[in-house]
């Protein structure tokens, strides 16, 4: 009997070790499921997702492994129709399997909130109390893109851009050269501070490759900081449903070297403001031209913006 208990214990330990190793491996693979990290803050979200995948894999493999083990090695004999052993309950086991999920949920919640704070995302509590806003913490990427947190980044080294969201277009204003654009250009490896503003309803600033999402609340100006680190072209979408032509509210995000960024800025400054193409306005105009009006009335899109550069 004692030998059987030892074998059962060794089986459980071996199973836990195998499940743990496989779960960690699956968690590492989750990094490849996501777009390339294009902002210094990206690793915070990716690490959180990897952690959640690892925990989920451990639970899934642990439960299914236990079921398969029981089916293979503890099933009744073919002709055994007797009742199983009568078990009244185990208070210790019940306490353990109740406490572990509670502690796990608290751990996940604490880790998620820590990432939320490091990303500098302003939630409902901050937006409701914007007369006394909480300080936005800066997040930094590890490795060669890491910025030393001991020294504050000089204000003059932070690129400031105004972001205006409206139904249904994005407009970006660069105060340095008084340039407006429907395409967001950003310098690589430079801290960027966006001043987010909505002219009508609730919008969401969301760049998947940056792992960044910030709600834009009408009547509030929201400062949002991050550091692009990977030159390339990315997509900005509205993460909040904002009306009929919500799907047309997209913009290109171009990350380039600081030299290329300033060359573009100087070139755009020499362009006269012209009306930018706007998909929502075009679709709405086509609808008005139809001889028969069908469907519900929709909000009229804002006039196409006047910009120096529209891509």
């Amino acid at each position: 009997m004692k030998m059987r208990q030892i074998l059962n214990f060794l089986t459980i330990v071996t199973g836990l070790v195998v499940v743990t190793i496989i779960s960690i491996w699956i968690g590492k693979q989750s990094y490849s499921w996501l777009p390339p990290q294009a902002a210094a803050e990206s690793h915070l979200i990716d690490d959180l997702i990897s952690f959640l995948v690892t925990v989920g894999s451990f639970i899934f493999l642990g439960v299914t492994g236990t079921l398969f083990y029981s089916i293979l090695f503890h099933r009744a004999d073919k002709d055994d129709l007797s009742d199983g052993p009568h078990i009244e309950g185990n208070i210790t086991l019940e306490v353990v399997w109740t406490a572990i999920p509670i502690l796990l949920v608290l751990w996940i919640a604490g880790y998620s909130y820590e990432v939320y704070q490091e990303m500098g995302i302003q939630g409902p509590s901050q937006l409701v109390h914007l007369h006394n806003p909480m300080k936005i913490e800066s997040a930094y990427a590890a490795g060669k893109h890491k910025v030393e947190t001991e020294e504050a980044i000089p204000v003059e080294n932070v690129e400031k851009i105004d972001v205006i969201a409206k139904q249904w277009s994005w407009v970006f204003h660069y105060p340095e050269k008084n340039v407006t654009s429907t395409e967001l250009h950003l310098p690589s490896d430079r801290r960027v501070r966006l001043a987010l503003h909505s002219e009508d309803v609730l919008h969401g600033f969301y760049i998947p490759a940056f792992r960044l999402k910030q709600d834009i609340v009408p009547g509030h100006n929201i400062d949002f900081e991050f550091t692009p680190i990977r030159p390339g072209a990315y997509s900005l979408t509205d993460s909040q449903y904002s009306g009929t032509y919500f799907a047309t509210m997209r913009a290109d995000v171009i990350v380039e070297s600081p030299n290329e960024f300033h060359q573009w800025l100087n070139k755009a400054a020499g362009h006269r403001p012209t009306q930018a193409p706007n998909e929502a306005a075009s679709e709405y105009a086509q609808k008005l031209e139809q001889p028969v009006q069908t469907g519900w009335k929709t909000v009229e899109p804002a006039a196409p913006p006047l910009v120096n550069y529209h891509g």
Side-chain angles (χ1 to χ4, degrees):
M1 185 68 179
K2 187 174 181 180
M3 179 61 66
R4 183 177 181 83
Q5 290 178 338
I6 293 175
L7 290 175
N8 287 338
F9 175 77
L10 291 176
T11 301
I12 292 173
V13 171
T14 302
L16 286 174
V17 171
V18 172
V19 167
T20 300
I21 292 174
I22 295 175
S23 299
I24 293 174
W25 180 81
I26 295 175
K28 295 294 184 183
Q29 301 309 304
S30 68
Y31 287 100
S32 64
W33 305 343
L34 302 168
Q37 296 180 355
E41 293 76 13
S42 301
H43 76 96
L44 295 171
I45 296 297
D46 291 3
D47 291 347
L48 174 59
I49 291 176
S50 177
F51 169 73
L52 295 176
V53 170
T54 300
V55 171
S57 299
F58 182 85
I59 295 173
F60 175 78
L61 294 175
V63 171
T64 55
T66 301
L67 290 174
F68 279 116
Y69 175 80
S70 300
I71 292 171
L72 291 174
F73 300 104
H74 294 283
R75 64 180 183 271
D77 294 332
K78 182 177 180 180
D79 298 322
D80 185 0
L81 301 178
S82 62
D83 294 334
H86 180 71
I87 300 175
E88 291 290 340
N90 189 316
I91 298 299
T92 302
L93 180 61
E94 292 177 4
V95 170
V96 169
W97 75 31
T98 302
I100 289 177
I102 292 175
L103 294 175
L104 182 60
V105 169
L106 292 175
W107 185 14
I108 293 174
Y111 184 13
S112 301
Y113 184 75
E114 181 183 349
V115 171
Y116 185 85
Q117 290 292 95
E118 287 190 69
M119 294 289 288
I121 299 172
Q122 295 193 38
S125 60
Q126 293 94 326
L127 296 177
V128 169
H129 301 92
L130 279 179
H131 59 279
N132 184 25
M134 296 177 64
K135 180 182 178 183
I136 299 178
E137 298 294 337
S138 298
Y140 303 93
K144 65 178 182 179
H145 296 295
K146 181 176 180 181
V147 180
E148 295 298 330
T149 57
E150 291 79 4
E151 299 180 7
I153 300 176
V155 175
E156 60 271 14
N157 290 339
V158 177
E159 196 67 44
K160 300 177 183 177
I161 304 172
D162 300 322
V163 178
I164 300 170
K166 55 185 176 181
Q167 296 172 303
W168 282 268
S169 63
W170 296 98
V171 180
F172 310 103
H173 177 248
Y174 302 80
E176 181 183 346
K177 295 290 184 178
N178 194 27
V179 167
T180 54
S181 171
T182 53
E183 193 173 76
L184 179 58
H185 283 248
L186 301 171
S188 177
D189 299 300
R190 288 279 300 275
R191 195 72 177 162
V192 175
R193 179 179 300 156
L194 302 183
L196 306 175
H197 173 74
S198 170
E199 290 191 351
D200 36 52
V201 298
L202 182 68
H203 295 281
F205 181 89
Y206 177 46
I207 305 177
F210 291 3
R211 317 295 193 267
L212 296 173
K213 190 189 86 68
Q214 173 62 59
D215 292 343
I216 310 175
V217 180
H220 296 297
N221 291 318
I222 302 170
D223 288 336
F224 192 55
E225 292 190 15
F226 57 92
T227 306
I229 60 174
R230 188 186 182 96
Y234 306 98
S235 178
L236 164 65
T237 62
D238 188 350
S239 61
Q240 301 290 347
Y241 179 71
S242 54
T244 307
Y245 301 101
F246 153 76
T248 67
M249 193 162 173
R250 302 183 301 269
D252 292 328
V253 180
I254 308 299
V255 178
E256 51 203 353
S257 69
N259 288 336
E260 291 174 328
F261 169 75
H262 285 98
Q263 287 175 7
W264 170 84
L265 199 59
N266 291 328
K267 181 179 178 180
H271 294 170
R272 292 181 56 187
T274 57
Q275 194 175 78
N278 185 268
E279 188 175 350
S282 299
E283 290 185 15
Y284 184 77
Q286 291 175 5
K287 179 181 178 182
L288 293 180
E289 293 173 359
Q290 294 177 354
V292 178
Q293 299 297 320
T294 59
W296 298 97
K297 286 188 175 181
T298 61
V299 175
E300 181 179 355
L306 294 175
V307 297
N308 301 92
Y309 185 84
H310 49 74

